[in-house]
């Protein structure tokens, strides 16, 4: 089965056929009072943090929602992408480079003489190996006068018992799989699939905003569980700025909630397990390690807005359709929500790009997701942390503050337009995205220390404001 076979879209109305080099791009974040989490928005700046014009917007089904869209050539380095795209909409890229992501085209097979030659050599090697092996077996059997030993004659080994070793991938899969759900989503603009996981016995399920966004305007969501049970789900609330959503499933009993872990004590190198429905392959389990922490990753936005998270990076295989599924530690505790992958340009430089896993995936830390989900379930609306200032990357590094909103937490703390933030608490701030991501990992009313250029330190009490989805 090919990627194209696995990702046949289910159109909602007439839509153009997909081009062979169709790109994937993130769904734009809606207009927010404070798009950056800073009370303002990220503005274009120099270096890798430039804004893409509308002409270079791209298309991305990060969950296997393969909708089509005309695209132009991306940068040769590749881009990040979010895992589920609503067709018919285009997403401008804000602050690309290491913190803006878009899944590139699928790699096309290249025919070449060298490829045929290698295939011929491989075939010859197999033939030679078979002949040599047969000759040795014949000489050994006849020379010794003994009978041949055949593995087919050996009895089957004892069946595996149900006692799985603690801390194994098997034990994590056995614990979590009943709680992971495939979400089949449809709306006026299209259809697709993603993943989620059960929070409560009464049907609350946590997932990504970009997985269910297509159904937000009166669409339909069907939840499919590991045992084949199906139920109808409705959107409880969404937060496009953090890419988190909660849905509630009805018509299914006996649900098993996951156990939530914590993401503030993760260590680089520790093993993790991802579960989801990549390319509609429900219940797929992959494993890897935590590759890095606190990666500022942006899905892009519509002009002056940006969706940035301080992500957990992993090399566990994550593909379109894994969006919204759990990333778990070896105790089977959920420590992140799988949300994005990185796909580089094709090495051939022919415009073909890979659309699947290359060992670089990103998950929303569960500490941040837990707080947002709790807000949504209790109030139906998420709360965004902010300071009330526009921000851009400073030419010499750091996050330079622009316009300060009157009466905002930034003004109350004494921050000024032109100040350059180089650290937030003990975390280095190399650019604007890093500052936005770090603020969003905090909760409203948290007190944090901003270190400015020149080593001046200012304490800021963070504010909170409701998020109104599009």
């Amino acid at each position: 089965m090919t990627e194209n076979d696995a990702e046949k879209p289910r159109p909602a109305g007439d839509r153009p056929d997909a081009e062979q080099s169709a790109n994937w791009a993130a769904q734009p974040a809606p207009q927010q009072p404070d798009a950056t989490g800073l009370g303002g928005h990220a503005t274009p700046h120099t270096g890798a943090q430039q804004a893409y014009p509308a002409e270079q917007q791209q298309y991305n089904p990060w969950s296997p929602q393969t909708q089509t869209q005309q695209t132009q050539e991306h940068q040769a380095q590749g881009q990040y992408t979010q895992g589920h795209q609503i067709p018919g909409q285009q997403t401008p890229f804000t602050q690309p480079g290491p913190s803006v992501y878009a899944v590139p085209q699928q790699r096309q097979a290249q025919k070449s003489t060298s490829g045929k030659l290698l295939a011929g050599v491989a075939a010859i090697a197999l033939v030679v190996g078979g002949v040599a092996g047969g000759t040795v077996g014949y000489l050994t059997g006849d020379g010794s006068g003994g009978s041949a030993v055949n593995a087919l004659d050996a009895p089957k080994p004892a069946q595996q018992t149900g006692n799985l070793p603690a801390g194994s991938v098997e034990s994590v899969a056995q614990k979590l799989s009943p709680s992971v759900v495939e979400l089949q989503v449809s709306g006026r603009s299209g259809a697709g699939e993603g993943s989620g996981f059960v929070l409560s016995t009464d049907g609350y399920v946590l997932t990504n905003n970009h997985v269910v966004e297509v159904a937000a305007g009166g669409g339909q969501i069907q939840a499919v569980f590991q045992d084949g049970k199906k139920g109808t789900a409705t959107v409880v609330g969404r937060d496009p700025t953090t890419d988190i959503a909660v849905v509630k499933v009805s018509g299914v009993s006996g649900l098993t909630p996951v156990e939530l872990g914590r993401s503030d004590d993760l260590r680089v190198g520790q093993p993790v397990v991802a579960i989801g429905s990549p390319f509609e392959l429900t219940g797929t389990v992959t494993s890897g390690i935590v590759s890095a922490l606190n990666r500022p990753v942006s899905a892009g936005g519509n002009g002056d807005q940006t969706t940035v998270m301080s992500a957990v990076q992993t090399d566990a295989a994550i593909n379109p359709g894994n969006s919204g599924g759990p990333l778990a530690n070896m105790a089977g505790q959920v420590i992140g929500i799988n949300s994005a992958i990185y796909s580089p340009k094709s090495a051939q430089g022919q415009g073909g790009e890979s659309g699947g896993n290359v060992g670089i995936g990103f998950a929303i830390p569960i500490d941040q997701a837990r707080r947002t989900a709790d807000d949504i379930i209790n109030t139906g609306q998420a709360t965004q942390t902010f300071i009330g200032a526009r921000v851009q990357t400073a030419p010499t590094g750091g996050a330079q503050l622009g316009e300060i909103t009157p009466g905002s937490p930034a003004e109350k703390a004494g921050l000024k337009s032109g100040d350059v933030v180089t650290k937030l608490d003990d975390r280095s701030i190399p650019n604007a995205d890093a500052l936005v991501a770090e603020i969003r990992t905090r909760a409203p009313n948290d007190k944090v220390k901003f270190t400015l250029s020149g080593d001046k330190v200012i304490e800021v009490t963070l504010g909170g404001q409701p998020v109104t989805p599009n």
Side-chain angles (χ1 to χ4, degrees):
M1 181 175 65
T2 67
E3 267 186 16
N4 288 330
D5 291 331
E7 287 207 292
K8 302 280 187 199
R10 297 184 279 106
D14 294 332
R15 293 182 289 115
D17 292 334
E19 289 191 0
Q20 196 172 25
S21 61
N23 283 356
W24 304 343
Q27 177 65 21
Q31 184 67 36
Q32 299 295 333
D34 179 5
T36 65
L38 301 181
H41 61 266
T43 55
H45 44 267
T46 59
Q49 303 294 324
Q50 294 178 345
Y52 276 74
E55 293 79 14
Q56 290 180 305
Q57 298 165 359
Q58 311 173 29
Y59 164 54
N60 163 36
W62 167 209
S63 105
Q65 162 190 337
T66 50
Q67 315 302 336
T68 62
Q69 198 150 346
Q70 298 295 329
T71 59
Q72 295 188 2
E73 192 66 14
H74 300 153
Q75 295 182 357
Q77 293 82 1
Q79 303 170 333
Y80 296 108
T81 189
Q82 198 168 17
H84 197 95
Q85 172 68 21
I86 302 176
Q89 298 183 8
Q90 292 186 336
T91 301
F93 281 73
T94 305
Q95 301 180 1
S99 65
V100 179
Y101 47 104
V103 173
Q105 302 168 339
Q106 299 173 7
R107 187 186 304 272
Q108 301 296 323
Q110 301 293 327
K111 295 183 179 180
S112 67
T113 304
S114 60
K116 295 179 181 177
L117 178 60
L118 289 175
V121 172
I124 292 171
L126 287 173
V127 171
V128 171
V131 172
T135 304
V136 172
Y138 172 78
L139 292 175
T140 302
D142 277 8
S144 63
S147 60
V149 177
N150 192 328
L152 299 176
D153 297 330
K156 293 181 180 179
Q159 286 187 329
Q160 298 184 66
T161 67
N163 298 322
L164 300 178
S168 65
V169 174
E170 292 173 275
S171 65
V172 174
Q174 185 182 65
K175 178 179 179 178
L176 270 183
S177 291
S179 305
V180 180
V181 56
E182 179 185 7
L183 298 175
Q184 299 174 349
V185 184
S186 62
R188 288 176 297 178
S189 57
E193 291 81 18
S195 304
F197 52 90
V198 177
L199 290 177
S200 66
T201 56
D202 58 348
Y204 286 111
V205 170
L206 187 59
T207 184
N208 284 140
N209 171 68
H210 70 261
V211 170
V212 300
E213 193 168 22
V214 68
Q220 296 181 335
I221 305 174
Q222 184 176 61
V224 183
F225 293 85
Q226 181 194 37
D227 58 4
K229 291 181 180 178
K230 296 181 180 180
T232 301
T234 55
V235 177
V236 178
R238 303 182 294 115
D239 181 8
T241 65
T242 58
D243 196 23
I244 292 170
V246 176
V247 301
K248 191 170 186 181
V249 179
S250 59
V252 180
S253 60
L255 298 181
T256 304
V258 299
E259 180 184 357
L260 298 180
R262 57 189 302 165
S263 50
D264 61 352
D265 64 350
L266 292 176
R267 296 179 176 86
V268 173
Q270 77 175 76
V272 288
V273 174
I275 306 179
S277 302
F279 300 107
E280 302 181 41
L281 300 173
T282 305
T284 297
V285 178
T286 57
S287 64
I289 62 169
V290 173
S291 303
L293 296 168
N294 307 308
R295 289 289 198 209
V297 176
S298 172
N302 54 357
D304 62 351
Q305 295 181 329
T306 179
T307 300
V308 179
M309 60 179 172
S310 182
V312 178
Q313 182 182 329
T314 180
D315 68 347
I318 297 174
N319 284 287
N322 274 113
S323 262
L327 185 69
N329 60 24
M330 302 314 291
Q333 301 168 330
V334 178
I335 52 86
I337 305 174
N338 300 318
S339 299
I341 60 174
Y342 176 85
S343 286
K345 284 259 190 177
S346 168
Q348 279 86 4
Q350 302 296 321
E353 298 173 2
S354 137
N357 170 68
V358 294
I360 303 177
F362 302 98
I364 302 169
I366 198 60
D367 291 351
Q368 178 178 346
R370 180 200 288 261
R371 184 177 67 251
T372 302
D374 194 50
D375 284 344
I376 290 174
I377 291 172
N378 291 329
T379 69
Q381 196 170 35
T383 302
Q384 182 187 63
T385 308
F386 79 108
I387 63 169
R390 299 191 181 215
V391 62
Q392 65 180 14
T393 299
T396 56
Q400 184 172 4
L401 303 183
E403 180 184 352
I404 307 293
T405 303
S408 66
E411 185 187 58
K412 292 177 180 178
L415 292 171
K416 307 294 183 184
S417 177
D419 284 344
V420 176
V421 181
T422 58
K423 288 179 66 176
L424 191 155
D425 289 337
D426 59 351
R427 192 68 45 77
S428 177
I429 303 297
N431 52 44
D433 275 2
L435 181 59
V436 174
E438 285 304 316
I439 289 175
R440 284 188 173 155
T441 63
R442 269 65 171 184
N445 299 317
D446 279 358
K447 296 183 183 297
V448 296
K449 292 181 178 179
F450 281 23
T451 300
L452 308 180
S453 56
D455 295 330
K456 182 180 180 181
V457 178
I458 293 180
E459 185 176 80
V460 181
T461 300
L462 301 177
Q465 60 186 9
V467 176
T468 303
N470 56 333

